[in-house]
Every structure is written in structure tokens, then in C-alpha cells.
């Protein structure tokens, strides 16, 4: 499940994730089903990406006796979707960890230059002691993910996991090089970017398909 020789990059190999990604790719999959699939895939990926959450033993009284039993430890998780498309993954993660805080980073790609432009940022405060999980279904050139992680680090966050559904090899390389200290979780690594910096075979424009725009 490790991607190539990267220490911190993981590609999912679970058959349910692969199956649901294939349904996402289908151009005949409508907005309602697309949204549901993005949420389900995020939950399945999250289950894997969060397997090292810290635990501490707490005392609980069962109907039979008192026992020490493990529960999540540390500050609450910060989930940070990259607007817009990352929003589609949020419910998948909050289903797993309902106590999560949710921040937002607003970025859009310039259609000509493909450079990311920031238009919004609101993060849980303080963020320095929290694990931050950045969500975006698409990692294409890597520009948006790099900018979002830059931003979150500038606010003091030290532990970051990035989760996407589809990635291009070009974007993975860029992100892993720019931020070698973060973990990157990918549903599927696709073939390449086309001349318009879209992922091939990909699934088209994730934001438009989640929100039914265009
Ligand atoms: C898409 C996608 C990513 C970004 C990926 O967002 O959701 O955020 O492009 O591309 P990159 O790796 O080359 O930066 P877009 O800018 O289309 O905005 P949207 O989510 O509002 O549709
Ligand atoms: N953003 C998308 O939504 N899709 C792509 O293929 C590339 C960037």
C-alpha cells in the first residue's frame, strides 16, 4: 500500500474503495450518487488513515464491573477541507470522529495558469496541538494541496495528513517534495495530467460534480 519508494505516501488497495472510485469516474453518475460515493470513500480512507490515533485508558463502569478501557486521547482532530470539492469528504470523516473540529481553506485554480488562489481561511484555534486532516478529492498539479498545507503550517500545525481520492503522479511528487513531513493518503493513482492539468482518466471536475454546477 506504500506508493513507490515514498515513506509517507499510501495508495489504498481496498476493493470497496476501488469499486466506488470506478462508479465515481462514470460520467453517467449523477450529483446525488456522486456526493454519496465521495462521502463513503472518505470514510473508508479515513478508517485507514486514522489507524494510529493515540489512545489512553480511562475508567468505565460497565453493568458488570469497573474497568480501564481505551478511548481517543489528545486534542480534538481538525478536519480541513479545501473548498469547494473537499467539503464533499467532510461528513465521511465526522461520521468516524464526531468530535472533530472543522476548518476551511478556500482555494481555486486559475483556469489559465492552474496556479492556486486563496480566498478564505478559518482554522480551529489553537491548531498547534492538533492532528490536522486536509481533504481534497483531487491532487492534480499539487498546487492547491501545497498551498493549503503551507497555510496550515504557518498557523502552527505540526502534524498533518492529506487525504485525496484521485491523484496524478506529477502532483504526488510535488506535494511529497514540498512537504516531506506529512502523510499522504490516496484512493487511486491515475496515469497522468492532460494539457489542461486535468487528471486522466480521472473523474472530471470534482467540485462541479459534487455541487451540480457548470
Ligand atoms: C480542484 C480540486 C483541487 C484542485 C486540484 O479545485 O478540487 O482543489 O482543483 O488541482 P491542483 O492539484 O492542480 O491544484 P478547483 O480549483 O477546481 O476548485 P473547486 O473545488 O472550487 O471546484
Ligand atoms: N481538479 C479537478 O476537479 N479535476 C481534475 O482532474 C483536476 C483538478
Amino acid at each position: 500500500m506504500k506508493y513507490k519508494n515514498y515513506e509517507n505516501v499510501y495508495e489504498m488497495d481496498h476493493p470497496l474503495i476501488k469499486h466506488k472510485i470506478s462508479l465515481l469516474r462514470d460520467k453517467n453518475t449523477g450529483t446525488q450518487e456522486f456526493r454519496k460515493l465521495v462521502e463513503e470513500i472518505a470514510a473508508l480512507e479515513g478508517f485507514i488513515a486514522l489507524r494510529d490515533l493515540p489512545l489512553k485508558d480511562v475508567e468505565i463502569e460497565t453493568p458488570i464491573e469497573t474497568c480501564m478501557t481505551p478511548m481517543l486521547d489528545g486534542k480534538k482532530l481538525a478536519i480541513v477541507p479545501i473548498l469547494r470539492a473537499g467539503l464533499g469528504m467532510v461528513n465521511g470523516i465526522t461520521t468516524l470522529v464526531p468530535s472533530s473540529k472543522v476548518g476551511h481553506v478556500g482555494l481555486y485554480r486559475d483556469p489559465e495558469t492552474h496556479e492556486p488562489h486563496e480566498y478564505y481561511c478559518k482554522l480551529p484555534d489553537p491548531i498547534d496541538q492538533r492532528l490536522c486532516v486536509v481533504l481534497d478529492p483531487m491532487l492534480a498539479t499539487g498546487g492547491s494541496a501545497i498551498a493549503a498545507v503551507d497555510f496550515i503550517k504557518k498557523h502552527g500545525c505540526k502534524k498533518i495528513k492529506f487525504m485525496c481520492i484521485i491523484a496524478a503522479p506529477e502532483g504526488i511528487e510535488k506535494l511529497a517534495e514540498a512537504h516531506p513531513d506529512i502523510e499522504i493518503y490516496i484512493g487511486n493513482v491515475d496515469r497522468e495530467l492532460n494539457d489542461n492539468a486535468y487528471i486522466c482518466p480521472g473523474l472530471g471536475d470534482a467540485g462541479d460534480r459534487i455541487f451540480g454546477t457548470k
Side-chain angles (χ1 to χ4, degrees):
M1 136 144 158
K2 267 198 185 142
Y3 176 66
K4 292 195 172 165
N5 53 353
Y6 292 96
E7 272 310 304
N8 292 336
V9 183
Y10 305 91
E11 181 182 11
M12 303 294 132
D13 53 10
H14 199 293
L16 285 175
I17 296 179
K18 297 298 185 195
H19 175 79
K20 288 174 192 292
I21 289 176
S22 299
L23 295 174
L24 271 190
R25 293 188 193 280
D26 188 338
K27 67 176 186 185
N28 295 314
T29 297
T31 302
Q32 203 178 340
E33 198 192 346
F34 194 92
R35 232 181 251 154
K36 188 164 162 274
L37 286 164
V38 167
E39 209 171 296
E40 288 172 353
I41 294 165
L44 291 167
E45 274 195 57
F47 183 73
I48 294 164
L50 299 176
R51 71 193 177 288
D52 61 350
L53 285 182
L55 293 170
K56 75 162 179 230
D57 278 344
V58 296
E59 191 175 282
I60 295 278
E61 219 173 304
T62 78
I64 310 297
E65 61 179 39
T66 300
C67 66
M68 295 301 285
T69 189
M71 291 188 85
L72 291 180
D73 191 21
K75 279 247 186 265
K76 292 187 172 75
L77 200 69
I79 303 172
V80 182
I82 301 179
L83 306 179
R84 285 176 301 166
L87 284 174
M89 298 172 75
V90 171
N91 287 351
I93 307 298
T94 53
T95 303
L96 301 178
V97 191
S99 63
S100 304
K101 307 264 182 183
V102 183
H104 297 87
V105 175
L107 293 168
Y108 71 91
R109 284 201 324 177
D110 183 288
E112 303 288 320
T113 65
H114 310 131
E115 287 294 315
H117 291 271
E118 184 210 317
Y119 59 89
Y120 187 76
C121 180
K122 181 87 180 162
L123 299 174
D125 187 25
I127 192 125
D128 55 316
Q129 310 271 311
R130 296 179 200 277
L131 165 64
C132 188
V133 182
V134 182
L135 304 176
D136 194 326
M138 309 306 276
L139 176 62
T141 65
S144 304
I146 291 170
V149 173
D150 277 342
F151 216 73
I152 292 163
K153 281 186 176 174
K154 268 190 204 132
H155 280 73
C157 187
K158 293 175 196 78
K159 190 158 167 49
I160 298 173
K161 294 177 191 259
F162 176 83
M163 274 178 55
C164 65
I165 295 181
I166 293 185
E170 298 92 322
I172 301 169
E173 255 172 56
K174 287 252 176 63
L175 179 58
E177 204 173 292
H179 294 293
D181 54 321
I182 71 167
E183 290 173 11
I184 302 171
Y185 292 87
I186 302 161
N188 197 76
V189 179
D190 276 17
R191 195 178 66 247
E192 61 186 353
L193 293 177
N194 67 14
D195 293 342
N196 213 14
Y198 269 77
I199 301 173
C200 305
L203 49 72
D205 187 305
D208 283 341
R209 294 196 66 190
I210 290 168
F211 294 106
T213 46
K214 195 151 184 86

